[in-house]
Amino acid sequence: MIDPVAKFPSELDQLPDRDTEETAEWAASLDAVAKAAGPHRAAYLMRRTLQHAEGAGLALPKLLETDYVNTIPSSSEPAIDGDEEMERRITAWNRWNAAAMVTRGSKYGVGGHIATFASAAWLYETGFNHFFRGKEGDGSGDQLYIQGHASPGIYARAFLDGRLTEAHLDKFRQESAGDGLPSYPHPRRLPWLWEFPTVSMGLGPLSAIYQARFNRYLTNRNIKDVSNSHVWAFLGDGEMDEPESTAALALAAREGLDNLTFVINCNLQRLDGPVRANFKIVQELEAQFRGAGWNVVKSLWGGAWDELFQLDTTGALVRRLREVPDAQVQTYQTRDAAYIREDFFGKDPALVEMAKLLSDDKILECFHLSRGGHEPRKVYAAYKAALSHKGAPTVILAQTVKGFTLGEGFASKNANHQMKKLTNDEFKNMRDLLELPISDAQFVDGQVPYGHPGADSPEVRYLQERRAALGGPAPARRSHALAPLPAPADKSFAAFDKGSGSQSMATTMAFVRLMKDLIRDKTTGKRWVPIVPDEARTFGMESLFPSLGIYSPKGQTYEPVDRDQLMYYREAKDGQILNEGITEAGSMADFIAASSAYATHGEPMIPFYIFYSMFGWQRTADQMWQLGDQLGRGFLVGATAGRTTLTGEGLQHADGHSPVIAATNPAALSYDPAFAYEVAAIVKDGLRRMYGEAAPGEDRDVFYYLTVYNEPMPQPAKPAGIDEGIVKGLYRFNTAESAGVTVPANASRIQLLGSGTAIHWALEAQKLLAEEWGVAADVWSATSWTELRRDALEADAALLRGEERTPFIRKALEGVDSPVLAVSDYMRQVPDQIAQWVEQDWSSLGADGFGLSDTREAARRHFGVDAQSIVVAALAQLARRGEVPVTSVKEARVRYGL
């Protein structure tokens, strides 16, 4: 007789079979069909049978769901390789100190979260004791994405193992003095502990997927073998509502990322109430992940439920568990046995009979305490199953109770996310529940004490021994003593110094040409990571396809349609380009993984991510903050930049504000280069600062944002002695005299400051002012309004400290006694960043408002930033000073049709 256990999913093993012979007959029939008519016919019959059952009203799980029971039955759980009682005591100390830390801090009003770690404690502790590989062993260790609101529990563990002191815990969320603990995982604030910022909901799971994928990329490209590294992402079930949380599930399954595990803490609560009050979030997530191709492991019920499942000979219990909505499960957590008997068991005669066999204590044990996420044996079994599964990523759906062990005032209460403290009586009840040796006398002056068994206690020795066996402390961020990368040959940058002569070249193409040369460098070329969101051809990068290859873990399993062409579409297992398809969020997650590889894996990589400037910062600015927090390094390139250069695309494609958004990020160095040689100079200095020999006091943990344009223009030769000005943000490109225009000896003079493509309008205006109005104009290239502003802000801060320091903008314009008119292809807010530090008479022009579809010339006239508009604005500024007749302004308006 066929063994049905071998034929059916393991979660069915947990349920009693009242007629094993009948089950075997069904299995044999299916085998017979498969043998006689083939597996496709057998699969077809199964699908039709399930459809018929659903139509007949039979309560069967959907095809993408299993019953609301554990995937791994108790009988199949592996034994824990360790001392379970010792681990229980360690976890008890960590639970206590996490709650004590937040409660003690509450008197300062700094806040904190207690309930999240209380529900997830065993999910973390089991991993720390048995699974999470540290960075002191071979390889890079594991990468841990810790749920942000669980940070107090991680600090509590670091306190127990000696990495933090009581003084540290008492400075939770008090960072201004420099030695406090950040509220959440913030690598920039605590770089020796935290690797990945996660509390901006949804970015943790998205980044974890691309981190696991980037690990494969490093291995397949022979940069570093990190095949033993595993990525663990700890998430909340409410967090899965964020679109980013599930945006890349198909990618992870498609590429077989079995080096990735999601652990979703299904405490059925989000910040305000139930996650799916009238539905079941676990079942929803299971279907979503299974549909995407993930392996799903459910750990829902603790061992106390085994007796109930054995009594369920009719399947009534499983049916009832499947139909009870999550909010009602939460209610059971807070109600007595009589209520549960009536509301849960009283709905079905078979369950009424079952309940007669159960004591009140048994019912309360099951419904109040026994959850799969609260029992280390269940969690251990799920983690083992995840690591042993090959060919697909795994998600573990672990059911818990939010606020577990914190007392009746916390457990499953809708408001527990906002509850920041326990009373002393509640702490004493918690102490008794956890069996901790803390006396009433230790509550000095009414304040809850921290608890510690002693540096040489069995608990601490055990904890440290477990971590030593797993490769050292975790989480931890390693600071590698990396030698600076050698600078690429200077000829790559100098190639643009002579200009392009009569040939026109857009700055986008200049950047791509520069990248081609840098990637050819024999020493550092392999470290470049080109990232594009399915727009390589738009940016003129298709020539890189055949030479670098597009990364694919499967290589190229087909013959490309353009194989006979020079620039054919080539995919390769060791491909260098990451072409992510139409996903700015995924491309940014790639960039973050690559930009921090110097810390994660000790391998400095140089990512450049090129995108439509309108969509990069606008859609993914939150990830740019994540990047800055993670101390990432690299080049973001906003192509087709500016409000008037991308003609015909219309309102949503006209970028007039990305530099404004970039300016808000302290880690972003934002540049708007006008010429090819400026692009080269900025990239050269960026490589030096981020990867080479940084100057003393210079922050290396920055990233660059360059805006480049799709407007071909003749590229001028590089003037001498301007490198400092290019990097700091401003230099004089020419004067009226050096430009060769003829002006009277006593001509009125004005300074035209332009950035990006706007400098070409300024140069045209310079000529018109001289030839038609007898006005001398000097033209300046403002490569970075933002860096000029930051330098000035630093000078202001120095003044408050009693130090005298002149902002660079004032030094650059020193001796200039004529007015200044600034112009850019962005809203006036961009150049106006520096207005208060310019001592000369200041005015600005910009492209404020919505974009529109038209020719470049018409768009610039519409926004009043074309050459003629600059001329009129310059004359008006001079007229206000009495340096040109007022009538000249009106005459110019008429002449130019303004």
Side-chain angles (χ1 to χ4, degrees), residues 743-786:
V743 292
N746 61 345
S748 298
R749 186 174 292 270
I750 191 167
Q751 309 298 311
L752 302 180
L753 277 58
S755 67
T757 195
I759 202 167
H760 297 289
W761 323 328
L763 289 169
E764 185 180 348
Q766 178 188 52
K767 185 177 180 181
L768 291 174
L769 283 166
E771 294 178 351
E772 299 185 15
W773 306 99
V775 171
D778 302 335
V779 176
W780 300 68
S781 180
T783 55
S784 179
W785 309 101
T786 301

Side-chain angles (χ1 to χ4, degrees), residues 13-181:
D13 297 357
Q14 185 165 320
L15 310 178
D17 188 346
R18 64 180 183 182
D19 192 337
T20 57
E21 185 174 352
E22 182 184 38
T23 303
E25 289 174 356
W26 276 75
S29 297
L30 187 64
D31 286 345
V33 172
K35 183 176 181 180
H40 295 294
R41 177 61 181 170
Y44 173 80
L45 290 176
M46 284 298 299
R47 288 196 301 270
R48 291 303 298 268
T49 301
L50 287 170
Q51 291 168 1
H52 178 79
E54 184 175 359
L58 297 182
L60 288 176
K62 295 180 181 179
L63 288 173
L64 291 177
E65 296 177 14
T66 60
D67 281 316
Y68 204 68
V69 298
N70 295 346
T71 301
I72 305 169
S74 298
S75 59
S76 299
E77 291 169 4
I80 293 181
D81 181 22
D83 187 331
E84 294 185 57
E85 173 56 26
M86 185 68 73
E87 292 176 19
R88 186 198 65 78
R89 296 204 301 269
I90 290 170
T91 303
W93 286 115
N94 291 338
R95 285 182 180 279
W96 176 273
N97 287 321
M101 175 176 58
V102 176
T103 297
R104 287 166 68 113
S106 67
K107 67 182 179 182
Y108 301 111
V110 296
H113 301 284
I114 303 177
T116 297
F117 178 73
S119 67
W122 278 114
L123 302 180
Y124 292 105
E125 293 298 322
T126 303
F128 285 131
N129 288 330
H130 300 282
F131 295 97
F132 303 157
R133 298 177 67 250
K135 300 182 180 300
E136 295 175 2
D138 295 335
S140 301
D142 289 350
Q143 287 82 55
L144 308 180
Y145 288 77
I146 305 295
Q147 191 178 1
H149 293 137
S151 61
I154 309 305
Y155 290 139
R157 194 170 219 276
F159 168 63
L160 201 65
D161 72 10
R163 292 197 290 166
L164 292 175
T165 66
E166 285 192 16
H168 287 120
L169 299 190
D170 268 344
K171 290 190 176 180
F172 174 60
R173 291 192 170 197
Q174 299 171 63
E175 300 178 77
S176 60
D179 57 351
L181 300 181

Side-chain angles (χ1 to χ4, degrees), residues 189 237 262 287 394 433 657 683 807 873:
R189 293 300 186 204
D237 48 359
F262 276 15
T394 293
L433 175 66
H657 57 276
V683 171

Side-chain angles (χ1 to χ4, degrees), residues 620-644:
T620 57
D622 195 12
Q623 288 178 281
M624 275 72 162
W625 280 95
Q626 180 189 15
L627 166 65
D629 194 348
Q630 200 163 313
L631 289 76
R633 305 168 184 172
F635 297 95
L636 298 175
V637 184
T640 60
R643 182 146 280 165
T644 69

